[in-house]
Amino acid sequence: MTLLENHPEKNIIRVQLRQNVLLKGLSDSDRAELESQLTIVDANKGEFLQLQGVREMEQYFIVDGILKRVVSNPEGKEMILRFADERDMETSYAAWRLHTPAPYGIVCVTKARVVRMPLAEWAAFLDSRPKAKEGFEYCVMRVMSEIMAHTITLHLLDAPGRVHRFVRKHPDLVDRIPQKQLASHLNLSAETLSRLRHSGKI
């Protein structure tokens, strides 16, 4: 973990951050203020950035790689709620605002580089910038809505329908996510997903 301003690739990372869904609209002065609070994390495949149940939460801006949001029960059974890749973000903002533990973990699906800062500092930064705050809260609500829609389709659509919906919604992710994890997200076995692909049904 390294402060952005001390990172050897800081100039490249700054360019990448300007493409982030939450940061691309910031002024140069706002961006400079924010960047002084950012740290860079290079994480490996399978590494947790946030554990389910923690109370200290952070805001994540994805520079490279893919993350997943996961919920696990005490027996270790896992449900993948969503995937997020470059130029996207991850957060537990709702839980932080409600003063409740993080309801899910955030895990690296691939090797990943993320930029992060404590949620309290991110919220303070947004409080004096209503337009940026509105955009962030809209993004949070959109993600929550997408997760709800995905959960509903697990019950309403058959296996090919679930796969077709994912391909339609996330064409850029289909071939980047390990088949076992994609199958888990769609509540299928890896064998079923493979069979559907080889039979030409998807």
Side-chain angles (χ1 to χ4, degrees), residues 141-187:
M141 288 186 288
R142 178 180 54 78
V143 168
M144 293 173 70
S145 177
E146 287 175 357
I147 290 172
M148 182 175 290
H150 167 69
T151 304
I152 291 169
T153 62
L154 294 182
H155 296 280
L156 297 183
L157 297 181
D158 61 10
R162 281 176 251 163
V163 179
H164 282 302
R165 182 181 184 276
F166 187 88
V167 171
R168 187 178 73 253
K169 292 280 188 180
H170 310 283
D172 53 326
L173 287 177
V174 173
D175 295 321
R176 297 181 63 201
I177 297 171
Q179 290 300 289
K180 186 176 180 181
Q181 299 212 31
L182 178 57
S184 175
H185 178 59
L186 299 174
N187 198 26

Side-chain angles (χ1 to χ4, degrees), residues 12-24:
I12 295 172
I13 295 170
R14 283 176 173 137
V15 171
Q16 292 170 313
L17 286 174
R18 289 192 185 101
Q19 300 167 18
N20 186 274
V21 64
L22 299 178
L23 307 179
K24 58 187 178 183

Side-chain angles (χ1 to χ4, degrees), residues 10 26-27 31 59 61 66 75 82 101 110 113 130 133 149 183 186 191:
K10 61 185 177 184
L26 294 180
S27 67
R31 190 174 288 110
Q59 175 67 30
F61 308 100
I66 302 173
E75 290 73 43
R82 76 179 291 245
T110 64
R113 171 172 284 176
K133 184 174 184 177
L186 299 174
E191 292 75 18

Side-chain angles (χ1 to χ4, degrees), residues 30 48 73 77 85 104 124 142 146 168 173 181:
D30 285 346
F48 275 80
N73 66 12
K77 186 175 181 182
D85 64 351
Y104 43 76
R142 178 180 54 78
E146 287 175 357
R168 187 178 73 253
L173 287 177
Q181 299 212 31

Side-chain angles (χ1 to χ4, degrees), residues 82-154:
R82 76 179 291 245
F83 297 102
D85 64 351
E86 299 87 1
R87 296 183 293 279
D88 204 344
M89 65 95 191
E90 256 303 351
T91 190
S92 298
Y93 180 71
W96 179 80
R97 285 290 303 270
L98 292 168
H99 306 289
T100 58
Y104 43 76
I106 299 171
V107 189
C108 297
V109 175
T110 64
K111 187 176 180 181
R113 171 172 284 176
V114 299
V115 178
R116 70 182 187 183
M117 66 187 297
L119 259 173
E121 293 178 12
W122 171 240
F125 175 83
L126 291 176
D127 280 342
S128 58
R129 297 163 178 85
K131 186 176 179 180
K133 184 174 184 177
E134 181 182 356
F136 170 64
E137 291 184 342
Y138 173 82
C139 191
V140 170
M141 288 186 288
R142 178 180 54 78
V143 168
M144 293 173 70
S145 177
E146 287 175 357
I147 290 172
M148 182 175 290
H150 167 69
T151 304
I152 291 169
T153 62
L154 294 182

